[in-house]
PDB file of all heavy atoms in Angstrom:
ATOM      1  N   GLY H  40     -14.640  26.159  -0.305  1.00  0.00           N
ATOM      2  CA  GLY H  40     -15.502  27.051  -1.056  1.00  0.00           C
ATOM      3  C   GLY H  40     -15.047  27.079  -2.500  1.00  0.00           C
ATOM      4  O   GLY H  40     -14.240  26.259  -2.945  1.00  0.00           O
ATOM      5  N   LEU H  62     -13.236   6.255 -27.203  1.00  0.00           N
ATOM      6  CA  LEU H  62     -14.023   6.483 -28.412  1.00  0.00           C
ATOM      7  C   LEU H  62     -13.464   5.701 -29.588  1.00  0.00           C
ATOM      8  O   LEU H  62     -14.221   5.200 -30.424  1.00  0.00           O
ATOM      9  CB  LEU H  62     -14.078   7.971 -28.732  1.00  0.00           C
ATOM     10  CG  LEU H  62     -14.727   8.866 -27.659  1.00  0.00           C
ATOM     11  CD1 LEU H  62     -14.892  10.284 -28.171  1.00  0.00           C
ATOM     12  CD2 LEU H  62     -16.062   8.293 -27.203  1.00  0.00           C
ATOM     13  N   ALA H  64     -12.048   2.767 -29.398  1.00  0.00           N
ATOM     14  CA  ALA H  64     -12.506   1.384 -29.206  1.00  0.00           C
ATOM     15  C   ALA H  64     -13.982   1.238 -29.554  1.00  0.00           C
ATOM     16  O   ALA H  64     -14.395   0.238 -30.160  1.00  0.00           O
ATOM     17  CB  ALA H  64     -12.249   0.950 -27.767  1.00  0.00           C
ATOM     18  N   ARG H  93     -25.213  -1.025 -27.294  1.00  0.00           N
ATOM     19  CA  ARG H  93     -26.345  -1.907 -26.995  1.00  0.00           C
ATOM     20  C   ARG H  93     -26.478  -3.017 -28.022  1.00  0.00           C
ATOM     21  O   ARG H  93     -25.964  -2.925 -29.143  1.00  0.00           O
ATOM     22  CB  ARG H  93     -27.659  -1.120 -26.908  1.00  0.00           C
ATOM     23  CG  ARG H  93     -27.918  -0.173 -28.026  1.00  0.00           C
ATOM     24  CD  ARG H  93     -29.243   0.539 -27.855  1.00  0.00           C
ATOM     25  NE  ARG H  93     -30.342  -0.219 -28.424  1.00  0.00           N
ATOM     26  CZ  ARG H  93     -31.624   0.010 -28.197  1.00  0.00           C
ATOM     27  NH1 ARG H  93     -31.982   0.964 -27.349  1.00  0.00           N
ATOM     28  NH2 ARG H  93     -32.555  -0.696 -28.771  1.00  0.00           N
ATOM     29  N   LEU H 101     -37.434  -9.553 -24.278  1.00  0.00           N
ATOM     30  CA  LEU H 101     -36.354 -10.185 -23.536  1.00  0.00           C
ATOM     31  C   LEU H 101     -36.015  -9.394 -22.278  1.00  0.00           C
ATOM     32  O   LEU H 101     -36.280  -8.189 -22.203  1.00  0.00           O
ATOM     33  CB  LEU H 101     -35.100 -10.287 -24.411  1.00  0.00           C
ATOM     34  CG  LEU H 101     -35.190 -11.169 -25.652  1.00  0.00           C
ATOM     35  CD1 LEU H 101     -33.912 -11.033 -26.477  1.00  0.00           C
ATOM     36  CD2 LEU H 101     -35.429 -12.619 -25.265  1.00  0.00           C
ATOM     37  N   SER H 116      -9.724  -0.548 -15.145  1.00  0.00           N
ATOM     38  CA  SER H 116     -10.251  -1.830 -15.619  1.00  0.00           C
ATOM     39  C   SER H 116     -11.762  -1.818 -15.739  1.00  0.00           C
ATOM     40  O   SER H 116     -12.323  -2.634 -16.479  1.00  0.00           O
ATOM     41  CB  SER H 116      -9.800  -2.977 -14.710  1.00  0.00           C
ATOM     42  OG  SER H 116     -10.451  -2.923 -13.452  1.00  0.00           O
ATOM     43  N   ALA H 121     -15.298  -3.289 -19.488  1.00  0.00           N
ATOM     44  CA  ALA H 121     -16.601  -3.161 -20.149  1.00  0.00           C
ATOM     45  C   ALA H 121     -16.443  -3.249 -21.664  1.00  0.00           C
ATOM     46  O   ALA H 121     -17.218  -3.933 -22.350  1.00  0.00           O
ATOM     47  CB  ALA H 121     -17.254  -1.842 -19.751  1.00  0.00           C
ATOM     48  N   ASN H 163     -20.308   8.833  -8.087  1.00  0.00           N
ATOM     49  CA  ASN H 163     -20.905   7.636  -7.499  1.00  0.00           C
ATOM     50  C   ASN H 163     -21.514   7.871  -6.129  1.00  0.00           C
ATOM     51  O   ASN H 163     -21.822   6.920  -5.418  1.00  0.00           O
ATOM     52  CB  ASN H 163     -19.886   6.492  -7.411  1.00  0.00           C
ATOM     53  CG  ASN H 163     -20.573   5.143  -7.412  1.00  0.00           C
ATOM     54  OD1 ASN H 163     -21.603   4.968  -8.057  1.00  0.00           O
ATOM     55  ND2 ASN H 163     -20.008   4.182  -6.699  1.00  0.00           N
ATOM     56  N   ARG H 164     -21.712   9.090  -5.754  1.00  0.00           N
ATOM     57  CA  ARG H 164     -22.573   9.410  -4.619  1.00  0.00           C
ATOM     58  C   ARG H 164     -23.663  10.367  -5.070  1.00  0.00           C
ATOM     59  O   ARG H 164     -24.319  11.018  -4.259  1.00  0.00           O
ATOM     60  CB  ARG H 164     -21.763  10.059  -3.476  1.00  0.00           C
ATOM     61  CG  ARG H 164     -20.694   9.163  -2.851  1.00  0.00           C
ATOM     62  CD  ARG H 164     -21.300   7.952  -2.195  1.00  0.00           C
ATOM     63  NE  ARG H 164     -20.303   7.150  -1.481  1.00  0.00           N
ATOM     64  CZ  ARG H 164     -19.554   6.207  -2.039  1.00  0.00           C
ATOM     65  NH1 ARG H 164     -19.653   5.968  -3.341  1.00  0.00           N
ATOM     66  NH2 ARG H 164     -18.707   5.503  -1.316  1.00  0.00           N
ATOM     67  N   ALA H 183     -33.559   5.640 -17.581  1.00  0.00           N
ATOM     68  CA  ALA H 183     -34.922   5.854 -17.060  1.00  0.00           C
ATOM     69  C   ALA H 183     -35.996   5.029 -17.771  1.00  0.00           C
ATOM     70  O   ALA H 183     -36.849   4.415 -17.109  1.00  0.00           O
ATOM     71  CB  ALA H 183     -35.265   7.344 -17.103  1.00  0.00           C
ATOM     72  N   VAL H 193     -24.477  -4.762 -13.457  1.00  0.00           N
ATOM     73  CA  VAL H 193     -23.119  -4.956 -12.956  1.00  0.00           C
ATOM     74  C   VAL H 193     -22.366  -3.645 -13.150  1.00  0.00           C
ATOM     75  O   VAL H 193     -22.196  -3.178 -14.285  1.00  0.00           O
ATOM     76  CB  VAL H 193     -22.398  -6.100 -13.696  1.00  0.00           C
ATOM     77  CG1 VAL H 193     -21.013  -6.331 -13.095  1.00  0.00           C
ATOM     78  CG2 VAL H 193     -23.224  -7.384 -13.639  1.00  0.00           C
ATOM     79  N   PHE H 206      -7.372  10.210  -2.487  1.00  0.00           N
ATOM     80  CA  PHE H 206      -8.759  10.602  -2.620  1.00  0.00           C
ATOM     81  C   PHE H 206      -9.496  10.743  -1.293  1.00  0.00           C
ATOM     82  O   PHE H 206     -10.299  11.664  -1.114  1.00  0.00           O
ATOM     83  CB  PHE H 206      -9.490   9.642  -3.559  1.00  0.00           C
ATOM     84  CG  PHE H 206      -8.891   9.629  -4.936  1.00  0.00           C
ATOM     85  CD1 PHE H 206      -8.437   8.462  -5.514  1.00  0.00           C
ATOM     86  CD2 PHE H 206      -8.739  10.809  -5.654  1.00  0.00           C
ATOM     87  CE1 PHE H 206      -7.862   8.458  -6.770  1.00  0.00           C
ATOM     88  CE2 PHE H 206      -8.172  10.821  -6.915  1.00  0.00           C
ATOM     89  CZ  PHE H 206      -7.732   9.642  -7.477  1.00  0.00           C
ATOM     90  N   PHE H 218      -9.202  13.597   8.508  1.00  0.00           N
ATOM     91  CA  PHE H 218      -8.936  12.369   7.767  1.00  0.00           C
ATOM     92  C   PHE H 218      -8.674  11.235   8.735  1.00  0.00           C
ATOM     93  O   PHE H 218      -7.814  11.330   9.612  1.00  0.00           O
ATOM     94  CB  PHE H 218      -7.730  12.560   6.848  1.00  0.00           C
ATOM     95  CG  PHE H 218      -7.253  11.288   6.199  1.00  0.00           C
ATOM     96  CD1 PHE H 218      -8.112  10.516   5.448  1.00  0.00           C
ATOM     97  CD2 PHE H 218      -5.939  10.873   6.347  1.00  0.00           C
ATOM     98  CE1 PHE H 218      -7.681   9.336   4.851  1.00  0.00           C
ATOM     99  CE2 PHE H 218      -5.487   9.702   5.755  1.00  0.00           C
ATOM    100  CZ  PHE H 218      -6.361   8.931   5.002  1.00  0.00           C
ATOM    101  N   PHE H 227      -9.917  -8.917  -4.927  1.00  0.00           N
ATOM    102  CA  PHE H 227     -11.212  -8.585  -5.525  1.00  0.00           C
ATOM    103  C   PHE H 227     -12.324  -8.779  -4.507  1.00  0.00           C
ATOM    104  O   PHE H 227     -12.311  -9.716  -3.713  1.00  0.00           O
ATOM    105  CB  PHE H 227     -11.445  -9.501  -6.728  1.00  0.00           C
ATOM    106  CG  PHE H 227     -12.764  -9.325  -7.418  1.00  0.00           C
ATOM    107  CD1 PHE H 227     -12.868  -8.491  -8.525  1.00  0.00           C
ATOM    108  CD2 PHE H 227     -13.891 -10.012  -6.995  1.00  0.00           C
ATOM    109  CE1 PHE H 227     -14.081  -8.334  -9.186  1.00  0.00           C
ATOM    110  CE2 PHE H 227     -15.109  -9.861  -7.651  1.00  0.00           C
ATOM    111  CZ  PHE H 227     -15.202  -9.020  -8.754  1.00  0.00           C
ATOM    112  N   GLN H 237     -28.642 -10.515  -2.582  1.00  0.00           N
ATOM    113  CA  GLN H 237     -28.727 -11.729  -3.397  1.00  0.00           C
ATOM    114  C   GLN H 237     -27.423 -12.518  -3.206  1.00  0.00           C
ATOM    115  O   GLN H 237     -26.548 -12.529  -4.065  1.00  0.00           O
ATOM    116  CB  GLN H 237     -28.925 -11.370  -4.878  1.00  0.00           C
ATOM    117  CG  GLN H 237     -30.259 -10.739  -5.191  1.00  0.00           C
ATOM    118  CD  GLN H 237     -31.399 -11.743  -5.172  1.00  0.00           C
ATOM    119  OE1 GLN H 237     -31.165 -12.961  -5.095  1.00  0.00           O
ATOM    120  NE2 GLN H 237     -32.625 -11.262  -5.243  1.00  0.00           N
ATOM    121  N   VAL H 248     -14.622 -15.221 -10.652  1.00  0.00           N
ATOM    122  CA  VAL H 248     -13.467 -14.324 -10.602  1.00  0.00           C
ATOM    123  C   VAL H 248     -12.279 -15.001  -9.916  1.00  0.00           C
ATOM    124  O   VAL H 248     -11.119 -14.745 -10.263  1.00  0.00           O
ATOM    125  CB  VAL H 248     -13.840 -13.005  -9.897  1.00  0.00           C
ATOM    126  CG1 VAL H 248     -12.609 -12.135  -9.675  1.00  0.00           C
ATOM    127  CG2 VAL H 248     -14.881 -12.247 -10.716  1.00  0.00           C
ATOM    128  N   GLU H 262     -14.089  -7.489   8.392  1.00  0.00           N
ATOM    129  CA  GLU H 262     -14.602  -6.435   7.526  1.00  0.00           C
ATOM    130  C   GLU H 262     -13.722  -6.261   6.286  1.00  0.00           C
ATOM    131  O   GLU H 262     -12.575  -6.706   6.252  1.00  0.00           O
ATOM    132  CB  GLU H 262     -14.662  -5.102   8.283  1.00  0.00           C
ATOM    133  CG  GLU H 262     -15.595  -5.113   9.485  1.00  0.00           C
ATOM    134  CD  GLU H 262     -15.555  -3.803  10.268  1.00  0.00           C
ATOM    135  OE1 GLU H 262     -14.594  -3.015  10.079  1.00  0.00           O
ATOM    136  OE2 GLU H 262     -16.486  -3.563  11.065  1.00  0.00           O
ATOM    137  N   PRO H 271     -17.759 -14.822   1.691  1.00  0.00           N
ATOM    138  CA  PRO H 271     -16.406 -14.584   1.181  1.00  0.00           C
ATOM    139  C   PRO H 271     -16.367 -13.570   0.041  1.00  0.00           C
ATOM    140  O   PRO H 271     -16.992 -13.764  -1.008  1.00  0.00           O
ATOM    141  CB  PRO H 271     -15.963 -15.972   0.728  1.00  0.00           C
ATOM    142  CG  PRO H 271     -16.691 -16.897   1.645  1.00  0.00           C
ATOM    143  CD  PRO H 271     -18.041 -16.265   1.847  1.00  0.00           C
ATOM    144  N   THR H 288     -31.487   1.307 -10.986  1.00  0.00           N
ATOM    145  CA  THR H 288     -32.644   0.586 -11.512  1.00  0.00           C
ATOM    146  C   THR H 288     -33.266  -0.225 -10.381  1.00  0.00           C
ATOM    147  O   THR H 288     -32.740  -0.284  -9.267  1.00  0.00           O
ATOM    148  CB  THR H 288     -32.247  -0.385 -12.641  1.00  0.00           C
ATOM    149  OG1 THR H 288     -31.592  -1.533 -12.073  1.00  0.00           O
ATOM    150  CG2 THR H 288     -31.338   0.288 -13.660  1.00  0.00           C
ATOM    151  N   VAL H 298     -12.077  -4.362  -8.162  1.00  0.00           N
ATOM    152  CA  VAL H 298     -10.789  -4.958  -8.504  1.00  0.00           C
ATOM    153  C   VAL H 298      -9.694  -4.202  -7.756  1.00  0.00           C
ATOM    154  O   VAL H 298      -9.820  -3.000  -7.513  1.00  0.00           O
ATOM    155  CB  VAL H 298     -10.576  -4.878 -10.032  1.00  0.00           C
ATOM    156  CG1 VAL H 298      -9.146  -5.196 -10.414  1.00  0.00           C
ATOM    157  CG2 VAL H 298     -11.541  -5.806 -10.754  1.00  0.00           C
ATOM    158  N   ASN H 311      -8.607  -6.575 -16.051  1.00  0.00           N
ATOM    159  CA  ASN H 311      -9.613  -6.520 -17.111  1.00  0.00           C
ATOM    160  C   ASN H 311     -10.374  -7.834 -17.213  1.00  0.00           C
ATOM    161  O   ASN H 311     -11.607  -7.852 -17.369  1.00  0.00           O
ATOM    162  CB  ASN H 311      -8.946  -6.194 -18.443  1.00  0.00           C
ATOM    163  CG  ASN H 311      -8.390  -4.793 -18.513  1.00  0.00           C
ATOM    164  OD1 ASN H 311      -8.816  -3.911 -17.763  1.00  0.00           O
ATOM    165  ND2 ASN H 311      -7.443  -4.564 -19.406  1.00  0.00           N
ATOM    166  N   ALA H 312      -9.649  -8.937 -17.110  1.00  0.00           N
ATOM    167  CA  ALA H 312     -10.279 -10.257 -17.207  1.00  0.00           C
ATOM    168  C   ALA H 312     -11.246 -10.495 -16.054  1.00  0.00           C
ATOM    169  O   ALA H 312     -12.295 -11.135 -16.229  1.00  0.00           O
ATOM    170  CB  ALA H 312      -9.213 -11.347 -17.251  1.00  0.00           C
ATOM    171  N   GLN H 314     -13.040  -8.230 -14.542  1.00  0.00           N
ATOM    172  CA  GLN H 314     -14.270  -7.485 -14.824  1.00  0.00           C
ATOM    173  C   GLN H 314     -15.132  -8.240 -15.830  1.00  0.00           C
ATOM    174  O   GLN H 314     -16.367  -8.353 -15.659  1.00  0.00           O
ATOM    175  CB  GLN H 314     -13.924  -6.092 -15.353  1.00  0.00           C
ATOM    176  CG  GLN H 314     -13.056  -5.243 -14.447  1.00  0.00           C
ATOM    177  CD  GLN H 314     -13.783  -4.671 -13.231  1.00  0.00           C
ATOM    178  OE1 GLN H 314     -14.796  -5.207 -12.783  1.00  0.00           O
ATOM    179  NE2 GLN H 314     -13.266  -3.582 -12.694  1.00  0.00           N
ATOM    180  N   SER H 317     -16.780 -11.179 -14.238  1.00  0.00           N
ATOM    181  CA  SER H 317     -17.898 -10.754 -13.398  1.00  0.00           C
ATOM    182  C   SER H 317     -19.178 -10.602 -14.208  1.00  0.00           C
ATOM    183  O   SER H 317     -20.251 -11.086 -13.816  1.00  0.00           O
ATOM    184  CB  SER H 317     -17.573  -9.422 -12.715  1.00  0.00           C
ATOM    185  OG  SER H 317     -16.465  -9.535 -11.862  1.00  0.00           O
ATOM    186  N   LEU H 326     -29.594 -15.979 -16.313  1.00  0.00           N
ATOM    187  CA  LEU H 326     -30.196 -16.659 -17.457  1.00  0.00           C
ATOM    188  C   LEU H 326     -30.361 -18.164 -17.228  1.00  0.00           C
ATOM    189  O   LEU H 326     -31.014 -18.829 -18.040  1.00  0.00           O
ATOM    190  CB  LEU H 326     -29.346 -16.430 -18.699  1.00  0.00           C
ATOM    191  CG  LEU H 326     -29.317 -14.979 -19.230  1.00  0.00           C
ATOM    192  CD1 LEU H 326     -28.324 -14.865 -20.388  1.00  0.00           C
ATOM    193  CD2 LEU H 326     -30.701 -14.520 -19.675  1.00  0.00           C
ATOM    194  N   ALA H 327     -29.806 -18.685 -16.162  1.00  0.00           N
ATOM    195  CA  ALA H 327     -29.912 -20.119 -15.890  1.00  0.00           C
ATOM    196  C   ALA H 327     -31.355 -20.487 -15.561  1.00  0.00           C
ATOM    197  O   ALA H 327     -32.062 -19.741 -14.877  1.00  0.00           O
ATOM    198  CB  ALA H 327     -29.002 -20.510 -14.738  1.00  0.00           C
TER     199      ALA H 327
END
Side-chain angles (χ1 to χ4, degrees):
L62 299 188
R93 48 179 273 166
L101 296 174
S116 71
N163 206 34
R164 296 297 185 274
V193 183
F206 300 123
F218 171 56
F227 177 95
Q237 292 286 350
V248 173
E262 298 176 343
T288 75
V298 167
N311 292 338
Q314 303 286 24
S317 298
L326 292 174

